[in-house]
Amino acid sequence: MQQLRLTRTRRAALIGLAGVLAVSLTACAESKRDEAGGGGTGGTMVFGDTGNPKMFDPVFNDDGETFRITRQMLDTLIQNKQGTAELEPSLATKWESSNDGKTWTFTLKQGVKFSDGTEFNADAVCFNFNRWYNMKGAAAQSQMIYYGDVFEGFAKNEGDAGGDPVFKSCEAKDPATAVVNLNKAKGAFPAAFTLPSFAMQSPTALKQYDADKVTQSGDSFAYSDYAYKHVTGTGPFKFDNWDQGKGEITLVRNDSSTEPAKLDKLIFKVIPDENARKQALKAGDIQGYDFPAPSDYGLLRNEGEQVLIRPSFNVLYLGINQSGNPKLKDVRVRQALAYGINREQFVKSKLAEGSEVATEFVPKAISGYTDDVTKYPYDPAKAKQLLAEAGASNLTLKFYYPTEVTRPYMPNPADTFTSISEDLKNIGITIQPVAEPWNGGYKDDVQKFGKQDLHLLGWTGDYNDAGNFVGTFFGREKKEFGFNNPELFNALAAADGSPAGDAHAKAYQGVNKQIMDYLPAIPIAYPTPAIVVGPKIKGVVASPLTDERFNNVTIG
Amino acid sequence: MLRFLVRRVLQAIPTLLILSILVFAWLRSLPGGPAAALLGDKATPEKIASLNHVLGLDQPIILQYFKFLGRAVTGDFGNSLVSAQPVMGEIGTFLPATIELGLSAMIIAIVVGVPFGYLAARYRGGVPDNIIIVLTLVGVAVPVFFLGYTMQDLLAAPLGLPSQGRQAAGIDATSITNFAILDGIMTGEWDAVWDAIKHLILPAFALATIPLAVITRITRASVLDVFNEDFLRTANSKGLTQSVIRRRHVLRNALLPVVTTIGLQTGALLGGAVLTERVFNFRGLGFLLAEGIERRDYPRLQALLLFGALVYVLVNMLVDISYGIIDPRVRVR
């Protein structure tokens, strides 16, 4: 009996083993899936995205995950030249502003149609501008983050929308000329016309699917069908399908576009976990993904993948809250902090290749950047001396840093904190570390309550304007920095209101110098995020603004 | 039986009501909040305050709760803040994936765990017993996410198994019930069935480890208990064959605690699924929950946590019923 039992057990084990082997052999036989297509025009590219898009009407969105997709379907009047933050024509072949910066005239490309057959012309441009300006409902307006920021107000302000609107009117002078009139000059223009939120959409489709209908459902919002299924633009791809269960968004070539894509199909697959994205690329399930971990660059390259480094368009800074410790009001103390941090070493040892030490709060690619600012090279002796002069040799500072987060400007906050706090300890400062989850109170404590003395934060630019960086940080009194410097606030307001062009750049260069003398915080680094694509993918150009457009992508 | 069922259903109502209060209070006690998470990097304290006002999150919590309850009893849990989709619809879309994964993991755990447990008991103190004990200890101790990453790194490529997702991207499979395997069988799309099975293998094994280890240990202990019972000696002396003794006496009596464990572990699978689904990008309820927590998606979290509680209550009811089937004495009581 026992003999029989053993035999049975063995048989079961053998069958199990055979099963496992069968599964693995069959799987091995199905070798790594070929990167679909087969070379040249056509084929499908699957791209691994970091998160779920909310929906696709870009005016109600402000997140990179959504914009990555809408950028392939919708064109803006002006766009960024691939690989740079420079402006180039898109739906507008030419644009010019009046001397006072209050009138913008766009000469439009001819023969362009939206993918539903609607003609793109000046009427369509004005329809879009008027749509944004006249948007009704608190739910709708509270979701129009970029419109609210750039245009400052609506025809009727509701919800969190307030202030005097920058937009005044839009005239279609002739089918090829649209004139946008503003109530005041705004430094954000013309660069802000490149924002994905301000992409041109088909008036026919917007009306047909009731795109402006944003309703509140309990403590959340619901959008119309347009935003989920019918977004209609002039871009190289058009919407095909969104499979929520699989987390896949499928776009197909828009043959009615003046420059249709080379791929037949472009699929975005949402894979939030970075390691899972890497595995999916290795297995050939996807042909590219966003934000590989800097520590994986070498590994990925060894495996033949292309790691494309994005030129930096962000800044990591060490925030200083002057209303925290009174000693921080003394500029010598702030200078001491700057001299005391070995930023070269930090950038070299902790950040991805291509990253640089930040000398001011705008990256080099931004108009308004200047090399002519006061610099603070690593000099611990000078730092100690400055602290002594300020009577702050025994300084104790509460240093806040976030956890449970990686940002393009801060791939590893804990590492960054350790590196900087060690440097500060070396110059005699006592650090009290405070770690908090990013979505669990960090931003509240730092920006709303100003509980910190020092903190880590950064910013990724939205468009090529220095005001988008320094204006956001230091344009007014804020709990985050705890200072009141009317001179600086006025200089920033004046720079923002200066007409576009050289004068605008000069104004910001002056402000940047002023900021680096006053030193309200310490710019640490211009980190460089990356995008990775498989060996057979051609035509992806890494963009500082994560504005990679896949219209020229070919496979093989 | 009917009275028993009605009583259990009525008991579930206050349980769920209390849970809804706890879930609601817990979510609102978390620092951060949905407005900050929704607005992301560009959030300023002023924008957050305004959005909280628009969303009604600045109202007294009691008022917020009753508004929520009023809508919830009509089945309206609102829209997800992350996906802007109705959360009930999301549960419908994502539940089949979790059932597929959970069921596969449970089948693995039972099919492997019960015989292993029996084997260990049968050879108590021997080599098989020691090996199984060590393996079960490892199974319980290794965190699911660690195991998941290790499997992805070491097994996916050599075995040619997909390391993430539920189906290959762009696969042209018809979706009827959202159960990938079932849909494939119903439509005769065998490629899709095979693809779905391949996608299930690694996450199902990762998710199965803990219940597998627990079931093995409980089976072992339970079988050992039965071995010491007097009625086995009686059965032996009556001259019954060993297979009859095993089936009728040992297994039947040993299974009761095992079934309880299986029930509890099925409920616990939801917890394990959060990590497994996240690691393997297996888009089920666990994935939804993880994303909801990261983004402070109150409507989604409220619905999912209450749904999870409902599943627990239902699973426990099923366990009670199955007691009756296995052991007639329970039915009489």
Side-chain angles (χ1 to χ4, degrees):
Chain A
M1 199 53 120
Q2 182 145 340
Q3 184 60 38
L4 181 65
R5 251 195 317 267
L6 277 177
T7 317
R8 277 190 187 159
T9 314
R10 266 196 210 122
R11 203 192 301 152
L14 278 174
I15 291 170
L17 190 63
V20 171
L21 277 175
V23 167
S24 34
L25 286 175
T26 328
C28 285
E30 281 192 21
S31 58
K32 187 170 161 173
R33 212 156 51 85
D34 193 24
E35 282 174 348
T41 304
T44 301
M45 177 165 92
V46 186
F47 188 83
D49 241 340
T50 52
N52 233 13
K54 195 163 68 178
M55 38 80 200
F56 304 112
D57 188 343
V59 83
F60 298 125
N61 272 297
D62 64 340
D63 64 296
E65 285 88 2
T66 303
F67 288 161
R68 164 159 301 297
I69 298 165
T70 64
R71 273 175 167 132
Q72 319 299 333
M73 298 189 279
L74 307 173
D75 291 322
T76 40
L77 290 172
I78 307 171
Q79 65 187 13
N80 295 292
K81 201 169 155 188
Q82 279 287 268
T84 74
E86 287 169 35
L87 306 186
E88 70 171 15
S90 180
L91 286 173
T93 55
K94 228 171 70 182
W95 58 94
E96 56 191 11
S97 86
S98 57
N99 285 338
D100 62 2
K102 289 187 182 173
T103 306
W104 286 88
T105 305
F106 296 95
T107 308
L108 307 175
K109 207 194 247 182
Q110 293 296 282
V112 179
K113 279 194 161 62
F114 291 100
S115 60
D116 63 354
T118 305
E119 202 179 324
F120 170 75
N121 53 26
D123 283 332
V125 172
C126 287
F127 184 92
N128 276 278
F129 273 92
N130 288 324
R131 174 193 180 218
W132 305 328
Y133 175 62
N134 291 304
M135 194 68 75
K136 289 192 184 79
Q141 291 182 4
S142 71
Q143 291 301 281
M144 294 174 66
I145 306 293
Y146 279 120
Y147 188 82
D149 268 359
V150 173
F151 288 96
E152 297 180 24
F154 297 80
K156 181 177 182 294
N157 291 321
E158 292 174 88
D160 68 347
D164 300 325
V166 171
F167 177 82
K168 188 175 176 189
S169 63
C170 180
E171 302 163 53
K173 281 214 159 159
D174 58 65
T177 314
V179 179
V180 175
N181 299 305
L182 306 178
N183 286 317
K184 64 170 186 177
K186 174 95 180 169
F189 298 124
F193 290 122
T194 64
L195 276 171
S197 288
F198 305 149
M200 294 291 124
Q201 305 187 63
S202 162
T204 314
L206 288 167
K207 279 186 278 192
Q208 186 182 347
Y209 298 105
D210 211 1
D212 299 354
K213 195 176 160 205
V214 180
T215 48
Q216 205 174 331
S217 160
D219 45 15
S220 52
F221 302 117
Y223 304 85
S224 79
D225 251 14
Y226 176 83
Y228 300 111
K229 296 182 199 155
H230 303 289
V231 166
T232 308
T234 58
F237 291 95
K238 61 182 178 182
F239 183 79
D240 180 50
N241 182 42
W242 184 7
D243 186 329
Q244 292 273 354
K246 284 173 77 179
E248 274 177 31
I249 300 100
T250 305
L251 312 184
V252 293
R253 178 169 46 220
N254 173 15
D255 288 314
S256 68
S257 165
T258 50
E259 290 170 62
K262 290 179 178 159
L263 292 168
D264 292 324
K265 222 183 232 188
L266 175 60
I267 298 175
F268 291 97
K269 193 167 173 61
V270 179
I271 312 177
D273 185 84
E274 199 271 329
N275 192 56
R277 291 201 293 279
K278 185 173 69 186
Q279 297 297 344
L281 182 73
K282 277 161 80 172
D285 289 342
I286 59 174
Q287 284 81 52
Y289 69 86
D290 230 342
F291 301 122
S295 53
D296 284 337
Y297 290 4
L299 183 87
L300 286 163
R301 283 195 178 121
N302 286 343
E303 286 171 355
E305 319 290 359
Q306 307 174 59
V307 180
L308 310 171
I309 308 288
R310 293 179 164 124
S312 180
F313 208 69
N314 50 43
V315 65
L316 164 69
Y317 61 78
L318 173 73
I320 301 173
N321 178 13
Q322 294 185 29
S323 66
N325 190 314
K327 294 280 184 202
L328 293 170
K329 286 190 193 304
D330 190 327
V331 70
R332 289 171 297 183
V333 175
R334 303 199 294 275
Q335 285 169 346
L337 297 175
Y339 282 119
I341 300 169
N342 193 345
R343 290 176 290 171
E344 286 80 5
Q345 178 65 28
F346 165 71
V347 168
K348 221 161 75 182
S349 61
K350 304 285 184 197
L351 294 183
E353 63 182 74
S355 304
E356 286 182 69
V357 169
T359 48
E360 62 208 79
F361 288 89
V362 297
K364 287 180 177 174
I366 294 267
S367 154
Y369 171 89
T370 171
D371 209 31
D372 182 24
V373 291
T374 307
K375 298 196 177 71
Y376 301 89
Y378 182 52
D379 190 343
K382 191 166 183 179
K384 282 183 191 164
Q385 183 199 330
L386 282 163
L387 286 175
E389 282 172 20
S393 294
N394 295 318
L395 201 56
T396 300
L397 298 174
K398 272 181 292 180
F399 190 169
Y400 275 56
Y401 69 100
T403 58
E404 297 174 23
V405 72
T406 62
R407 310 301 308 160
Y409 51 78
M410 189 161 43
N412 190 334
D415 246 20
T416 308
F417 164 79
T418 308
S419 184
I420 292 175
S421 58
E422 284 306 315
D423 286 343
L424 295 179
K425 282 178 199 164
N426 279 343
I427 57 168
I429 295 173
T430 306
I431 296 295
Q432 293 175 339
V434 185
E436 270 191 318
W438 180 258
N439 278 334
Y442 179 74
K443 288 193 79 182
D444 267 1
D445 277 354
V446 162
Q447 293 190 312
K448 192 170 163 186
F449 304 118
K451 289 183 179 175
Q452 77 286 8
D453 297 325
L454 303 177
H455 66 282
L456 290 175
L457 214 57
W459 184 261
T460 299
D462 303 306
Y463 47 86
N464 188 348
D465 183 61
N468 183 233
F469 284 80
V470 281
T472 310
F473 306 150
F474 311 122
R476 62 202 162 86
E477 198 173 351
K478 284 168 81 177
K479 290 270 188 202
E480 181 180 353
F481 300 109
F483 69 86
N484 184 11
N485 183 341
E487 201 187 328
L488 180 60
F489 300 156
N490 291 338
L492 276 161
D496 185 48
S498 64
D502 284 350
H504 192 63
K506 277 224 165 65
Y508 273 113
Q509 284 171 355
V511 172
N512 283 330
K513 282 169 73 170
Q514 201 176 333
I515 289 172
M516 287 313 290
D517 287 336
Y518 180 63
L519 212 62
I522 299 165
I524 300 287
Y526 304 128
T528 47
I531 176 172
V532 57
V533 290
K536 294 183 182 172
I537 300 292
K538 295 194 179 100
V540 176
V541 182
S543 156
L545 290 144
T546 64
D547 176 22
E548 291 86 16
R549 294 189 290 271
F550 297 144
N551 52 332
N552 285 320
V553 167
T554 57
I555 303 173
Chain B
M1 194 56 129
L2 190 69
R3 272 183 63 192
F4 164 76
L5 275 178
V6 170
R7 203 170 62 233
R8 292 307 304 265
V9 170
L10 288 179
Q11 279 170 353
I13 293 172
T15 311
L16 289 174
L17 210 60
I18 292 168
L19 275 167
S20 75
I21 295 171
L22 290 178
V23 164
F24 199 85
W26 172 67
L27 282 175
R28 265 127 188 105
S29 71
L30 292 178
L38 257 183
L39 294 168
D41 267 3
K42 316 294 176 194
T44 59
E46 295 82 7
K47 275 185 191 157
I48 292 169
S50 298
L51 192 55
N52 277 336
H53 180 66
V54 171
L55 290 173
L57 294 169
D58 56 352
Q59 290 174 349
I61 186 164
I62 304 282
L63 198 63
Q64 286 186 51
Y65 174 74
F66 279 110
K67 278 186 176 172
F68 156 74
L69 198 65
R71 287 194 310 273
V73 291
T74 66
D76 175 14
F77 281 84
N79 278 32
S80 156
L81 298 174
V82 177
S83 71
Q85 307 278 330
V87 282
M88 291 311 279
E90 279 194 329
I91 290 179
T93 308
F94 285 69
L95 177 63
T98 300
I99 293 179
E100 236 169 34
L101 178 63
L103 213 57
S104 311
M106 220 50 217
I107 289 171
I108 293 169
I110 295 168
V111 168
V112 181
V114 172
F116 268 38
Y118 183 82
L119 204 68
R122 177 78 187 74
Y123 298 101
R124 182 187 187 183
V127 176
D129 187 26
N130 284 324
I131 292 176
I132 288 169
I133 285 180
V134 170
L135 284 179
T136 53
L137 272 177
V138 173
V140 173
V142 172
V144 173
F145 71 90
F146 175 77
L147 189 72
Y149 282 134
T150 312
M151 285 168 98
Q152 277 184 338
D153 285 337
L154 300 182
L155 295 182
L159 296 182
L161 292 174
S163 60
Q164 62 79 38
R166 214 179 143 208
Q167 276 180 318
I171 194 167
D172 205 11
T174 317
S175 191
I176 305 165
T177 61
N178 278 335
F179 285 95
I181 297 174
L182 188 65
D183 286 348
I185 293 170
M186 282 163 71
T187 54
E189 292 165 352
W190 300 108
D191 281 355
V193 174
W194 178 228
D195 178 70
I197 291 174
K198 278 201 303 181
H199 279 82
L200 257 176
I201 293 174
L202 292 183
F205 270 96
L207 185 57
T209 47
I210 291 178
L212 169 72
V214 174
I215 288 171
T216 307
R217 295 299 290 258
I218 297 289
T219 309
R220 180 183 176 275
S222 179
V223 169
L224 281 178
D225 279 352
V226 177
F227 278 162
N228 293 329
E229 293 278 356
D230 291 342
F231 62 80
L232 269 201
R233 226 169 301 139
T234 315
N236 268 316
S237 61
K238 267 167 46 184
L240 291 177
T241 63
Q242 284 302 309
S243 74
V244 169
I245 291 175
R246 272 204 313 271
R247 210 174 44 243
R248 251 195 229 156
H249 296 288
V250 180
L251 273 179
R252 190 152 201 163
N253 284 292
L255 272 183
L256 213 55
V258 176
V259 168
T260 314
T261 310
I262 291 171
L264 289 172
Q265 288 296 313
T266 307
L269 273 183
L270 267 185
V274 176
L275 289 172
T276 311
E277 290 181 4
R278 186 70 177 174
V279 169
F280 288 97
N281 195 37
F282 200 89
R283 299 174 68 86
L285 294 186
F287 179 93
L288 271 191
L289 189 67
E291 195 182 58
I293 291 169
E294 271 164 33
R295 303 279 289 270
R296 297 286 189 269
D297 191 343
Y298 286 179
R300 185 191 274 181
L301 291 174
Q302 278 154 193
L304 276 176
L305 292 174
L306 285 177
F307 180 77
L310 188 68
V311 169
Y312 247 99
V313 169
L314 285 177
V315 166
N316 275 308
M317 271 166 67
L318 284 176
V319 169
D320 286 353
I321 294 164
S322 64
Y323 270 18
I325 294 166
I326 294 171
D327 188 345
R329 285 172 300 175
V330 177
R331 225 174 335 187
V332 173
R333 263 182 248 150

